[in-house]
Amino acid sequence: MEKSNQLPEKGPSKIKKFFSWLILIVLIVLAGAFYWKYYFVFGDGVKTGELNFAVKKGNLFKTYEGKLIQTGLRTQSASTGLSNNEFEFSIESDSIYQILTRNSGKIFDLHYKEYKGVIPWRGNSRYIVDEIVEMREPTRSGF
């Protein structure tokens, strides 16, 4: 009988197993943080105001953007005084964009979702309008 000089094959070392698990855990945590920052709906609600504009713009990703002018005034800081209360948003779909562009200057109640971060292909804002709740003509009072 001959003795073999080869060592018996061993499975992965403990260090390799540890680093494999560590990398897996880090990837799961990073994926969760990415989801929370860019895809988790942080808040949602309805904003009402007169539609100032709705545009399609972007260098690489063409997105729909808009702005509502809300009633009332707000102060930006002590030195700059008063300004309009504006709500800038991105628009989720082409159909909502088409309705908004055909009805600029009207009063809208817009449902939106708020995210923690901005993704270039979703829009330039953290606020994404996903529904038109109501649309009506502005009431103009004469002086």
Side-chain angles (χ1 to χ4, degrees), residues 34 38 45 58 62-63 65 67 100 105 113 115 122 125 127 129 140:
F34 184 82
Y38 297 108
K62 299 293 186 191
T63 59
E65 309 297 326
K67 183 190 291 187
L100 293 175
K113 296 179 203 169
Y115 297 92
R122 188 169 57 198
S125 173
Y127 303 100
V129 168
R140 305 284 185 207

Side-chain angles (χ1 to χ4, degrees), residues 48-62:
T48 301
E50 184 176 334
L51 182 65
N52 189 0
F53 67 82
V55 296
K56 181 178 182 179
K57 66 180 183 177
N59 292 319
L60 184 59
F61 300 103
K62 299 293 186 191

Side-chain angles (χ1 to χ4, degrees), residues 50 52 67-76 80-88:
E50 184 176 334
N52 189 0
K67 183 190 291 187
L68 281 182
I69 306 297
Q70 298 175 288
T71 58
L73 299 172
R74 67 178 173 157
T75 57
Q76 289 180 324
T80 59
L82 299 175
S83 68
N84 286 332
N85 207 2
E86 299 175 347
F87 174 58
E88 293 188 18

Side-chain angles (χ1 to χ4, degrees), residues 33-43 55-58 60-66 88-94 97 112-130:
F34 184 82
Y35 172 82
W36 182 80
K37 175 82 174 172
Y38 297 108
Y39 288 98
F40 175 75
V41 177
F42 176 68
V55 296
K56 181 178 182 179
K57 66 180 183 177
L60 184 59
F61 300 103
K62 299 293 186 191
T63 59
Y64 304 116
E65 309 297 326
E88 293 188 18
F89 56 90
S90 297
I91 303 165
E92 186 174 74
S93 70
D94 182 59
Y97 169 73
Y112 68 92
K113 296 179 203 169
E114 180 181 357
Y115 297 92
K116 291 272 192 191
V118 175
I119 301 174
W121 53 87
R122 188 169 57 198
N124 295 329
S125 173
R126 296 179 335 177
Y127 303 100
I128 309 298
V129 168
D130 62 347

